[in-house]
Amino acid sequence: MKLKLGQWAALAALAVSASAGMARAAEKVVKVDGSSTVAPVSEATAEEFQKTMKDVKVTVGTSGTGGGFKKFCRGETDISDASRPIQQKEIDEAKKNGIDFIELPICFDALTVVINKDNTWADTMTVDELKKLWEPDAAGKITKWNQIRPEWPDAKIELYGPGTDSGTFDYFTEAVNGKSKASRPDYTASEDDNILVKGVEGSKNAIGYFGFSYYMAHKDRLKAVKIDWKQNKNGPVEPSKENVIKGTYQPLSRPLFIYVNKKSAQTKPEVRKFVEFYLNNVSKLAEEVKYVALPEAAYEMAKSRFAKLETGTAFGGHSEVGMSIEELMKKPLQN
C-alpha cells in the first residue's frame, strides 16, 4: 500500500514525537557516586525508590569518597555519597565550578578494625598501638606482631585497608595517626571492601579496617578488634550499634553523608523526589544494611535543610574525630 505525502508527514511527526518522548524518559536519571561504605544504603534506597518511580533510573557508583567528590565538584553527578565531610580543597573546587551543595547526614558508622578468625592475641588494641602499626614511619619497620606487643607472635603482619580515594582511609588516618591521609603505604589497598574481607579472611596474620556493615555481613568469617582509647576512659569497646548510640565506641564512630547538588535538586524533579524518599526511608534502610540510624529529630533537621535548599557544611572542611550523634545535630552550617 502506497502512502500519500501527508500520511508520510504524519508518520514522521509521530516518530519524532516518540523519539523525543524516549529521550525525555532517558533523561530521568539520578547519578550517585562516591563512598563504597555509603553505597549499600544508597543502593537499598535506589532499589526501593525505583519500585514506585519506574520511569526513573538511579545509578550508584563506588569511586570512593574522594573520587566521588571529584565528579560531584565538576558537576558530573547529582549526589555524592561520603564517609567523611567534604574537605576544603573540594569546597574550593565546587565553588570554582559554580556547584552549591546541600550536606545531609544519613546515619552513623562504626569504622571496624578486623582480624582473622584464628588470631587469638589481638582481640583488643589501643589507639596508640594502631598508630604504631599504621603511621607513615612504620613503613618497612613495623612488620611483625611482636613489635606491637612483645608477647605477640614473631610473625609477619599482613595489612589490608582502603585506597587513598576512600573516605574511610581519610577518617581512619585522621582518627588514629592525627592527620588525614598520613599512612604507611606498604599495605594492600583496595576501594572494594570485599577484597579486603577476603584478604583478612585468607591469612591468620592479617589485619584490616573498613565500615561496620561489611564486618556485620562477614562476621562469621572475621573478628572485630575492641578499641581502647585513653581519652575515652571506658576501656576496650567493641563496635556495635549500642556502643555507637551511647557514644562509647570512639574515636572510630563517624557520621555518613550524602551531598546533593543544589541545581540538580532545583531543576530535576526526579532528584528532589529521590532525596525526599531517601530522607523519609533511610532510618529503616540504614538499619537493614547494619548501620546506625540517626534519631528522628536528626532526620527532621535534614528534611528541613533539604526543603529549604540550605547549602554549606557544618565541618569547616575537615573531619571531627570522636563526635557523638548529639554533637552532630548541633553543628550549624557554614558557607
Side-chain angles (χ1 to χ4, degrees):
M1 181 180 73
K2 290 186 178 181
L3 295 175
K4 295 180 180 179
L5 186 60
Q7 291 172 311
W8 277 113
L11 282 173
L14 281 172
V16 169
S17 175
S19 176
M22 289 174 67
R24 282 193 297 272
E27 287 169 2
K28 287 191 176 182
V29 176
V30 179
K31 294 180 181 179
V32 185
D33 204 330
S35 168
S36 63
T37 302
V38 181
V41 188
S42 289
E43 287 167 350
T45 306
E47 185 177 339
E48 291 302 313
F49 177 74
Q50 289 170 138
K51 288 178 183 177
T52 57
M53 299 290 291
K54 297 186 184 299
D55 61 335
V56 179
K57 180 181 180 183
V58 182
T59 64
V60 181
T62 53
S63 300
T65 297
F69 273 133
K70 286 174 187 172
K71 295 179 182 180
F72 182 77
C73 294
R74 291 194 297 258
E76 295 173 8
T77 57
D78 303 302
I79 297 167
S80 210
D81 289 340
S83 60
R84 58 150 171 84
I86 191 168
Q87 295 177 344
Q88 189 60 51
K89 64 180 181 181
E90 295 157 346
I91 295 170
D92 295 342
E93 183 68 14
K95 284 181 180 176
K96 185 178 84 173
N97 294 322
I99 306 294
D100 293 319
F101 59 83
I102 304 162
E103 180 182 82
L104 301 171
I106 54 163
C107 56
F108 248 73
D109 179 28
L111 198 157
T112 306
V113 179
V114 294
I115 53 176
N116 185 273
K117 275 283 189 183
D118 294 329
N119 182 320
T120 57
W121 58 90
D123 291 351
T124 296
M125 294 183 74
T126 68
V127 173
D128 286 343
E129 287 170 339
L130 288 173
K131 183 176 187 290
K132 186 176 182 180
L133 179 60
W134 283 99
E135 66 185 347
D137 288 346
K141 298 175 186 175
I142 306 299
T143 59
K144 294 186 176 183
W145 282 103
N146 62 359
Q147 291 175 283
I148 305 299
R149 286 191 204 177
E151 65 268 28
W152 286 357
D154 180 12
K156 186 177 179 181
I157 301 173
E158 295 179 35
L159 296 162
Y160 292 86
T164 56
D165 260 346
S166 166
T168 299
F169 172 82
D170 291 334
Y171 188 87
F172 181 85
T173 50
E174 187 155 337
V176 171
N177 296 333
K179 184 179 178 183
S180 177
K181 296 191 182 297
S183 172
R184 65 187 298 166
D186 55 339
Y187 70 98
T188 300
S190 177
E191 305 295 349
D192 184 345
D193 293 327
N194 292 306
I195 290 174
L196 306 182
V197 168
K198 289 176 183 175
V200 177
E201 181 187 25
S203 172
K204 182 178 179 179
N205 291 301
I207 184 170
Y209 64 93
F210 41 72
F212 183 62
S213 75
Y214 281 92
Y215 163 67
M216 288 300 292
H218 305 287
K219 64 179 182 177
D220 57 329
R221 298 158 58 185
L222 303 167
K223 272 196 222 177
V225 176
K226 294 178 183 176
I227 304 301
D228 191 351
W229 191 33
K230 59 188 175 187
Q231 290 175 239
N232 210 5
K233 297 184 172 54
N234 287 304
V237 180
E238 67 179 351
S240 70
K241 172 185 172 183
E242 293 73 25
N243 290 334
V244 170
I245 291 171
K246 286 189 294 184
T248 57
Y249 183 71
Q250 296 291 4
L252 298 182
S253 290
R254 56 173 179 167
L256 303 178
F257 306 87
I258 59 171
Y259 285 78
V260 184
N261 183 315
K262 180 181 177 181
K263 184 178 179 181
S264 292
Q266 288 175 314
T267 62
K268 297 174 68 175
E270 59 271 24
V271 171
R272 178 177 279 274
K273 288 177 183 177
F274 176 66
V275 175
E276 289 171 346
F277 183 90
Y278 206 127
L279 296 176
N280 283 327
N281 293 275
V282 67
S283 60
K284 177 187 172 202
L285 295 171
E287 296 276 358
E288 286 180 7
V289 295
K290 311 303 181 188
Y291 286 121
V292 179
L294 301 176
E296 191 54 40
Y299 290 121
E300 291 305 318
M301 177 191 73
K303 289 175 192 176
S304 173
R305 183 180 294 178
F306 184 65
K308 296 174 185 175
L309 299 177
E310 293 178 343
T311 59
T313 176
F315 293 85
H318 60 86
S319 298
E320 291 196 19
V321 172
M323 175 178 289
S324 69
I325 293 174
E326 289 76 13
E327 289 168 331
L328 169 72
M329 293 172 61
K330 293 175 184 175
K331 290 185 69 62
L333 290 173
Q334 309 161 36
N335 275 299

